[in-house]
Amino acid sequence: MPAAPSRRSADSDAPCDGDAEGMNKRVVILGGGTGGTLTANRLDRRFGPELEITVVDRDDLHVYQPGLLFVPFGLTTISKIVRPRHRQLRPGVRFHEAEIESVALDENEVRLADGATLPYDVLVVASGARIQPRETEGMTGPGWCENVFTFYTPEGASALAPALERFRGGRLVVNIVDMPIKCPVAPIEFTFLADWFLRERGVREKTELVLSTPLDGCFTRPIASKHLSYLLAEKGIELEVEFPAGEVDGDGGQLRSYDGRELEFDLLVAIPAHGGAAYVERSPGLGDALGFVPTDINTLQTKVRDNVFALGDATDLPASKAGSVTHFEGDVLADNIARYLEGEPLEPRYDGHANCFIETGFGKALLIDFNYDLEPVPGHFPTAFGLPLLKESRANHLAKLAFQQLYWHALLPGRDIPGIEVTMPRAGKRIPADAAAGKVGATS
Amino acid sequence: MTETQIELTQVERDAEGFLADPAQWTRELGVEIARENGIDELTDRHWLVIEFMRNRYLETGNAPSIRSLGKESGVPVKELYQLFPKGPAKLAAKIGGIPKPHGCI
């Protein structure tokens, strides 16, 4: 079956069917975000024209998602964190802009809403996670974008900015509806920045700032909890734990839990429930009940088909849904796709490595670096002479801000970042004897 | 595995009573942990949830959230709270011998 023509092709003379010489294989990548873009670029750099790579996305807007955190506080704007998706792809990669209808696993093809069908030899699911505010009763009802907001979308973050600007005190509740969510530290960072923002504006004294979570604490890992709990006390943040949010009443300013508790708010900043991309649900056998794709935690081959791989927020891995995870996975994934195409055994090389800056307000940030087996510990990253771990510093804050340039110019093009290894470094870390030696599932 | 029944006092647990090693878990231990937490009898509905959670964790490394349980376990969210009044995700994980649901920090 011939491949569908691209509506927007960065490489107009690429062959449309499988007559090219060389390996002559087709890779279709679903999603042109962090994972899809860096995978396409890594594969193209490695194979050149002998591999036909098509990236599919429903729009041409690549959002630097870590930037969304800063939008509500007027520290950046959407236009500064969005670039065209197709411009981040190497010239040899095609970009096809269309909504994905479904994946037909048995036929090895992707069906698009514009009528096109894309056959593939290898499929990469990189379509991320989306928020599902409608999963919570009343969340998008009266009050939505008036006194009930989310900063997890460009529209939501933009709408929240003037609301925070107008805020003159009262109860500001930050609520995590359910796990998993993208960037699990973002709600904590938002709360810290809100404390800073409201103090700067002289309304903090008139504000009760509440963080509510379905987990049993803000910091649930023993070592992080020991090092960081002072932050909540220092900033006067109230914590509502094990709160399973079930219903939002925007008119009445109430958030209700499944177990009958109520939290009053004047301003609610909700982190809605998350699920995978909608087409995953429309594709029999591809995803779990939340629309995430069951994936081997170390090779990134999916458990649904040998020729289907996945990375980033779209997977069901027990790793954080975060850009750093996707970045490290991308290196392993591109290697393993090459191995698969060449008939070699896959390498179980991804160790769950994640690396995240956590803004704490007032120009400071924390850094955490961890993997499947080791929870965040103190020390320095990447070596003893690097940035401080689990400790507030100005350097971490500056590094967080500087990272956006690295994202566009090194991470997305699929270049290695000097000094940053895919596997988690141990040098520089102070690993306590009782650090959790995580046992992740039975697959490893 | 021997025929000898392992007792709760013989297995390593953390300060909150979660098993250190999910592989040491037995149904009998589950019954004992449930009793410690105020559930005197584990019904078929309890076991449905506990086994679903445990299997999902062993398969994926993730313990399912309340929402996943409500969608997939066959037990609606309301009933989950009746079965495990102190919080289904945490309590069912404890009884099923898997780690407490946690964030990245």
Side-chain angles (χ1 to χ4, degrees), chain A residues 140-152:
Chain A
T140 55
W144 181 238
C145 288
E146 287 166 22
N147 60 346
V148 178
F149 293 88
T150 182
F151 64 95
Y152 267 56

Side-chain angles (χ1 to χ4, degrees), chain A residues 132 135 178-179 215-216 219-221 244 258 273-274 289-290 303 316-318 320 368 370 376 439 441-442, chain B residues 16 20-22 57-62 65-68 71-72 77 81 86 90 100-105:
Chain A
Q132 298 176 303
E135 290 260 317
D178 191 29
M179 301 299 284
L215 297 173
D216 70 350
F219 304 110
T220 51
R221 297 290 205 164
Y258 280 117
H274 282 46
L290 299 184
K303 297 174 185 171
D316 74 337
L317 296 194
S320 294
I368 53 173
F370 57 101
K439 293 178 184 65
Chain B
E16 289 182 83
D21 179 4
Y57 172 79
L58 294 176
E59 225 171 82
T60 68
N62 278 323
S65 69
I66 304 273
R67 191 166 58 111
S68 300
K71 280 179 194 272
E72 291 185 278
V77 171
Y81 277 92
K86 286 175 190 165
K90 197 171 159 186
K100 170 178 107 168
H102 56 69
C104 59
I105 56 171

Side-chain angles (χ1 to χ4, degrees), chain A residues 44-87:
Chain A
D44 185 65
R45 182 172 289 119
R46 185 162 184 151
F47 290 100
E50 63 178 306
L51 203 60
E52 187 187 306
I53 305 166
T54 306
V55 173
V56 184
D57 208 301
R58 65 172 162 223
D59 61 41
D60 195 20
L61 301 171
H62 187 131
V63 182
Y64 176 64
Q65 293 190 68
L68 291 173
L69 170 70
F70 296 108
V71 172
F73 304 105
L75 297 169
T76 190
T77 57
I78 296 300
S79 64
K80 288 183 185 146
I81 59 171
V82 176
R83 294 188 180 186
R85 294 188 195 277
H86 76 276
R87 293 277 297 276

Side-chain angles (χ1 to χ4, degrees), chain A residues 250-322:
Chain A
D251 278 341
Q254 284 199 333
L255 175 66
R256 300 190 190 103
S257 70
Y258 280 117
D259 57 349
R261 283 182 279 163
E262 288 176 350
L263 276 182
E264 289 188 8
F265 63 83
D266 295 295
L267 186 60
L268 174 66
V269 177
I271 292 82
H274 282 46
Y279 76 85
V280 177
E281 285 171 26
R282 294 192 293 263
S283 307
L286 185 57
D288 64 19
L290 299 184
F292 297 117
V293 179
T295 303
D296 183 274
I297 65 168
N298 301 120
T299 66
L300 306 173
Q301 184 179 45
T302 67
K303 297 174 185 171
V304 300
R305 288 292 187 281
D306 285 353
N307 64 337
V308 179
F309 293 76
L311 84 167
D313 299 350
T315 75
D316 74 337
L317 296 194
S320 294
K321 297 196 181 299

Side-chain angles (χ1 to χ4, degrees), chain B residues 5-66:
Chain B
Q5 195 172 311
I6 304 170
E7 310 228 347
L8 208 45
T9 49
Q10 297 171 271
V11 295
E12 193 189 335
R13 294 200 288 164
D14 71 10
E16 289 182 83
F18 287 83
L19 289 202
D21 179 4
Q24 289 191 315
W25 183 84
T26 61
R27 280 176 74 98
E28 290 73 24
L29 288 179
V31 171
E32 278 190 64
I33 297 170
R35 268 196 214 116
E36 279 185 353
N37 288 275
I39 301 177
D40 291 333
E41 197 200 338
L42 290 176
T43 64
D44 289 350
R45 297 296 276 176
H46 286 102
W47 281 115
L48 191 66
V49 178
I50 295 162
E51 281 168 0
F52 178 85
M53 280 193 79
R54 184 173 165 83
N55 291 339
R56 178 55 64 87
Y57 172 79
L58 294 176
E59 225 171 82
T60 68
N62 278 323
S65 69
I66 304 273

Side-chain angles (χ1 to χ4, degrees), chain A residues 33-34 37-38 41 62 88 406-415:
Chain A
T34 309
T37 302
L38 64 88
N41 289 338
H62 187 131
Q88 317 311 318
L406 270 181
Y407 179 81
W408 298 114
H409 299 297
L411 191 147
L412 289 184
R415 296 194 185 97

Side-chain angles (χ1 to χ4, degrees), chain A residues 133-178:
Chain A
R134 285 185 177 79
E135 290 260 317
T136 305
E137 204 179 322
M139 187 177 283
T140 55
W144 181 238
C145 288
E146 287 166 22
N147 60 346
V148 178
F149 293 88
T150 182
F151 64 95
Y152 267 56
T153 60
E155 303 74 30
S158 299
L160 179 52
L164 271 180
E165 183 84 31
R166 284 193 305 271
F167 191 72
R168 293 287 173 271
R171 276 176 68 85
L172 197 173
V173 175
V174 181
N175 171 250
I176 302 166
V177 170
D178 191 29

Side-chain angles (χ1 to χ4, degrees), chain A residues 197-246:
Chain A
F197 182 85
L198 298 172
R199 278 183 208 276
E200 292 282 299
R201 304 177 68 77
V203 290
R204 182 65 181 92
E205 299 297 313
K206 289 180 263 176
T207 305
E208 290 174 60
L209 186 54
V210 184
L211 174 63
S212 81
T213 166
L215 297 173
D216 70 350
C218 172
F219 304 110
T220 51
R221 297 290 205 164
I223 297 167
S225 180
K226 201 163 74 186
H227 281 79
L228 302 178
S229 290
Y230 77 93
L231 285 164
L232 297 174
E234 182 185 281
K235 296 174 191 296
I237 293 163
E238 290 173 41
L239 195 58
E240 187 73 26
V241 297
E242 293 183 76
F243 188 88

